[in-house]
Coordinates of all heavy atoms in Angstrom, one line a residue:
Chain A
V284 N -19.3 6.0 -12.8 CA -18.9 5.1 -11.6 C -18.0 4.0 -12.1 O -18.1 3.4 -13.2 CB -20.1 4.5 -11.0 CG1 -19.7 3.5 -9.9 CG2 -21.1 5.5 -10.5
E288 N -12.4 -2.0 -7.8 CA -11.5 -3.0 -8.4 C -11.0 -2.5 -9.7 O -9.8 -2.6 -10.0 CB -12.2 -4.3 -8.5 CG -11.3 -5.4 -8.9 CD -12.0 -6.8 -8.9 OE1 -13.2 -6.9 -8.6 OE2 -11.3 -7.8 -9.3
I302 N -17.0 7.9 5.6 CA -17.9 8.8 6.2 C -18.5 8.3 7.5 O -18.3 7.1 7.8 CB -19.1 9.1 5.3 CG1 -19.8 7.8 4.9 CG2 -18.7 9.8 4.0 CD1 -21.2 8.0 4.3
P310 N -32.1 7.8 6.6 CA -31.3 7.6 5.4 C -30.7 8.9 4.9 O -29.6 8.9 4.3 CB -32.2 6.9 4.4 CG -33.5 7.2 4.9 CD -33.5 7.4 6.4
L314 N -27.0 10.0 3.3 CA -26.9 10.5 1.9 C -26.3 12.0 2.0 O -25.5 12.3 1.1 CB -28.2 10.5 1.3 CG -28.8 9.1 1.1 CD1 -30.2 9.1 0.4 CD2 -27.8 8.2 0.3
D322 N -18.1 13.3 -5.1 CA -17.5 13.7 -6.3 C -15.9 13.6 -6.3 O -15.3 13.7 -7.4 CB -17.8 15.2 -6.6 CG -19.2 15.4 -7.3 OD1 -19.7 14.3 -7.6 OD2 -19.6 16.5 -7.4
D325 N -13.3 7.6 -5.4 CA -13.7 6.4 -6.1 C -14.6 5.5 -5.3 O -15.4 4.9 -5.9 CB -12.4 5.6 -6.5 CG -11.6 6.3 -7.6 OD1 -12.1 6.6 -8.7 OD2 -10.5 6.7 -7.3
D331 N -18.3 0.2 10.7 CA -19.2 -0.8 11.5 C -19.0 -0.6 13.0 O -18.0 -1.1 13.6 CB -18.7 -2.2 11.1 CG -19.4 -3.3 11.8 OD1 -20.5 -3.0 12.4 OD2 -19.0 -4.5 11.7
V337 N -22.6 2.1 19.0 CA -23.6 1.6 18.1 C -24.1 2.6 17.1 O -24.4 3.8 17.5 CB -24.8 1.0 18.9 CG1 -25.9 0.6 18.0 CG2 -24.4 -0.2 19.8
A340 N -26.5 -0.2 10.9 CA -25.7 -1.3 10.4 C -24.9 -0.9 9.1 O -25.5 -0.2 8.3 CB -26.6 -2.5 10.1
G352 N -25.5 5.2 -6.4 CA -24.5 5.1 -7.5 C -23.1 5.3 -7.0 O -22.2 5.6 -7.8
N365 N -20.4 -13.8 14.9 CA -19.7 -15.0 14.8 C -19.6 -15.4 13.3 O -20.2 -14.7 12.4 CB -20.2 -16.2 15.6 CG -21.5 -16.7 15.1 OD1 -22.0 -16.3 14.1 ND2 -22.2 -17.5 15.9
K401 N -21.1 -8.8 25.3 CA -20.3 -10.0 25.2 C -19.4 -9.8 24.0 O -19.9 -9.7 22.9 CB -21.1 -11.2 25.1 CG -20.3 -12.5 25.1 CD -21.2 -13.7 25.2 CE -20.4 -15.0 25.5 NZ -20.1 -15.7 24.4
F472 N 0.2 10.5 10.7 CA 0.6 11.8 11.1 C 2.2 11.8 11.2 O 2.8 12.9 11.0 CB 0.1 12.2 12.5 CG -1.4 12.5 12.5 CD1 -2.3 11.7 13.1 CD2 -1.9 13.6 11.8 CE1 -3.7 11.9 13.1 CE2 -3.2 13.8 11.8 CZ -4.1 13.0 12.4
M481 N 6.8 1.5 4.7 CA 6.7 1.2 3.3 C 8.0 0.7 2.6 O 8.0 -0.1 1.7 CB 6.3 2.5 2.5 CG 4.8 2.8 2.6 SD 3.7 1.5 2.1 CE 4.0 1.5 0.4
I495 N -2.0 -0.2 -2.1 CA -2.0 0.3 -0.7 C -2.4 1.8 -0.7 O -1.8 2.6 -1.4 CB -0.6 0.1 -0.1 CG1 -0.2 -1.4 -0.1 CG2 -0.6 0.7 1.4 CD1 1.2 -1.6 0.2
L496 N -3.4 2.1 0.1 CA -3.9 3.5 0.2 C -3.4 4.0 1.6 O -3.7 3.4 2.6 CB -5.4 3.6 0.1 CG -6.0 3.0 -1.2 CD1 -7.5 3.2 -1.2 CD2 -5.5 3.7 -2.4
R503 N -9.3 19.0 13.6 CA -10.1 20.1 13.6 C -9.6 21.2 14.6 O -9.9 22.3 14.5 CB -11.5 19.7 13.8 CG -12.5 20.5 13.1 CD -13.9 19.9 13.1 NE -14.8 20.7 12.4 CZ -16.0 20.3 12.1 NH1 -16.5 19.2 12.5 NH2 -16.8 21.2 11.4
I524 N 2.6 18.4 15.6 CA 1.3 18.7 15.1 C 0.3 19.2 16.1 O -0.4 20.2 15.9 CB 0.7 17.4 14.4 CG1 1.5 17.1 13.1 CG2 -0.8 17.5 14.1 CD1 1.1 15.9 12.4
H568 N -16.2 12.8 11.1 CA -17.3 13.6 11.2 C -17.1 15.0 10.6 O -17.8 15.9 11.0 CB -17.7 13.8 12.7 CG -18.2 12.5 13.3 ND1 -19.5 12.1 13.3 CD2 -17.6 11.5 14.0 CE1 -19.7 11.0 13.9 NE2 -18.5 10.6 14.3
I576 N -9.7 19.7 0.9 CA -8.5 18.9 0.9 C -8.2 18.5 -0.5 O -7.1 18.6 -1.0 CB -8.6 17.7 1.9 CG1 -8.7 18.2 3.3 CG2 -7.4 16.8 1.7 CD1 -9.1 17.1 4.3
N616 N -2.1 1.2 -19.5 CA -2.2 -0.2 -20.0 C -1.1 -1.0 -19.4 O -1.3 -2.2 -19.1 CB -2.1 -0.2 -21.6 CG -3.4 0.2 -22.2 OD1 -4.4 -0.1 -21.6 ND2 -3.4 0.9 -23.3

Side-chain angles (χ1 to χ4, degrees):
Chain A
V284 178
E288 188 173 358
I302 57 163
L314 297 177
D322 276 355
D325 288 298
D331 178 12
V337 176
N365 67 9
K401 182 168 195 268
F472 289 115
M481 282 304 292
I495 300 167
L496 303 180
R503 218 170 178 171
I524 288 181
H568 291 273
I576 296 169
N616 280 328

